[in-house]
Amino acid sequence: MDTLTPVASGDAAGPLTPAQLRELYSLMVAVRHLDTSAIAWQRQGIIPGYAPEFGQEAAQVGSGYAVDTGRDFVFPTYREMGVARTMGVDMVAYMSTHKATWHGGLYDPLKSRLAPIQAVVAGSVLHAVGWAHGQTLAAAAGADGAAAGGGSGVALTYFGDGASSQGDVHEAMNFAAVMKAPVVFFVQNNGWAISVPTERQVAGGSVAARAAGYGMPALQIDGDDVVAVVEATRRAFAHARAGNGPVLIEAMTYRRGPHSTSDDPGRYRSLDEERDGAGADPLERFRQRLLADGIGDDEFFAGALAAARAEEEQIRTGLQALESRPGAEMFDLVFQETTPALQAQAASWREESEHV
Amino acid sequence: MQQALNRALDEVLAENPKAVIFGEDCGRLGGVFRITDGLQAKHGEQRVFDTPLAESGILGMSVGLAMAGFHPIPEVQFDGFAYPAINQIVCQIARMNYRSRGTLPMPITLRVPSFGGIRAPEHHGESLEALFAHVPGLKVVAPSNPHEAYHLLKYAATRPDPVIFMEPKSRYWQKGDVAPEHGGSPTGAKVQREGRHLTLVAWGAMVARCLQVAELAAEDGIDIEVLDLRWLKPIDADALATSVRKTRRAVVVHEAPLTSGLGAEVAQLITQSCFDTLKAPVERVTGFDVPYPSGDLEDEYIPNIDRILFGTQRVLEYRRG
Ligand SMILES: Cc1ncc(C[n+]2csc(CCOP(=O)(O)OP(=O)(O)O)c2C)c(N)n1
């Protein structure tokens, strides 16, 4: 499905250069390696839990690659590690949530342009619309607004096929379409919402089909083809940036392995079903393509893997060195302006836990 | 406790053809905590089914099912995901009996895996009891062990009114005997340990912790009574009065934040019935007025044995000024 009319804009123009294709591959390898390592860390007790994205690297790296961190803003779920890595977020700070150190992660969302990790399914889809409408308001306010950092940014919001069942998502799409907000709804349809397959989750055949009801263009794409994902996301960004309102992208992919490290997929699907549903591995597919096009050779692939390994080791070391946050922050960070009751509770906590 | 709950649901489905169980992943998977494990296979997809991922939808649909004469037993997967359904729970479920002058009862048993203690991610551990108990038209109950879980759930799931059933998820894997024939009264509070010097009032997972505190205090010759409140609405004011009239001192323990928590309600009920006999003001040992923290800080947040002991000490050492 492709109901997006082409926009003449530099954003979407031009095929990816060989250097960019190699960069995409390196990112995908880094993400794959970190993802599989994080599952191992959970088994080793380094982190208590993790939501793997094995098989969704192309969807995440490709979409994240289209973001301009100078002006756009991204609203993730709990599974967007690949997007975060592509955007250059500090990965130790990102992983701190999975280490149960702090809700949302220890990175600075304003600097990184990535909103805090969101555990509530569909929780931040409406926030993206609000942020995007803020861009419209800032642009209307003219130079002042633009100087304050607003104006031409696009919000990119991620959610799953399961999340698309939430009322908030429908409200978000309607708001965005009515207000022509510059937002890209990026659905990773990985086939499953924990144990429930898409056909038992999404009526009407696809999430993309819903866009028509809101008068919004939609793209249903091969989410395992990183180049297709980059191109689609760039087109959607160009459309939104040009003031034409929201776009919905449904990237068709597959969640290999468990929903989270505490899930047991054997209870709702067989390994055969998994093999059939999953299709070709997006990383291997891209490697073959680069090889065939003479853009990458074995030396390059080996180098990318070595870099990914080194990076993973660095992140693990950082994560293991990361200590629990001081308990006092529990009280300090509730408000910008604290309350007497909270101060009193902090004081008695300090006394009773001898944390002075 | 997980097995006790599963067995209770199995029996409810067998005994009441109008009972239906539904929610996210509770069919084929048997729920993320396996509370509904095997029930779909046994009772069929009409009686136990998966819904799309939409809590407002799940609870809103419960209203219509109840109107059609069913007894819905919906599940929200984790306490924090009851928030998207609050509108349907508060504005609709809680009021329909009233609005319809009793002609549209809402026999809905909402199961909510509740409270913290398992180092879960954000929103996977919350204490919503005060929020629910504050709403006219809802009843609220929390079991503390497998035996209570079995009997309270069986009872709740046969009531004609909406009951919020708060399952302490940190106790799901707790082993314990269930005596199916000897449930005792399924209403009101229950003394889980007799004592003379002080009453600890708790519910859910905090009951076990208070029993530990009582054991420790006994070594110092302090004889603590532990009252398992069980029903958080309606609260058993008589049981509170009976216990505290005997011990003359009370501490309420809960995980939820202090301010406007149920501890205040319990303290007031005790004050009202025992003002003349109380030797000290009722104390509260609770969570703090902070968002339920991440796993690493959870132990700082949930009342631990030391903090409960400090609380009992304050009450025991209280001197009129
Ligand atoms: C509001 C809400 N309800 C329930 C949950 C529990 N839960 C976490 S992930 C999930 C499935 C999400 O499926 P989908 O949106 O397709 O995304 P995926 O996990 O497949 O990436 C559920 C039910 C939640 N996090 N938030």
Side-chain angles (χ1 to χ4, degrees), chain A residues 100-103 119-121 162 165-166 193-195 201 267-268 324-325 330-331 334 342 345 349 352 355, chain B residues 25 28-29 34 37 52-55 77 122-123 258 288-290 292-297 300 307 310 314:
Chain A
T101 306
W102 197 260
H103 294 317
V120 182
V121 156
S165 301
Q166 292 276 335
I194 309 189
S195 71
Q201 184 72 246
R267 285 184 158 255
Y268 51 82
S324 294
R325 302 305 305 169
M330 196 164 59
F331 303 95
V334 181
L342 206 49
Q345 288 173 34
W349 167 80
E352 293 187 354
H355 268 268
Chain B
D25 302 290
R28 193 154 169 198
L29 185 67
R34 310 284 184 259
D37 196 14
L53 207 181
E55 290 77 12
Q77 203 158 73
E122 190 175 13
H123 300 297
L258 179 77
F288 303 110
D289 294 357
V290 311
Y292 209 100
S294 204
D296 275 4
L297 291 177
E300 308 280 358
R307 282 180 55 213
F310 275 119
R314 284 197 296 276

Side-chain angles (χ1 to χ4, degrees), chain B residues 12-27:
Chain B
V12 166
L13 286 171
E15 287 159 17
N16 179 3
K18 291 293 188 185
V20 279
I21 292 177
F22 51 92
E24 294 156 14
D25 302 290
C26 68

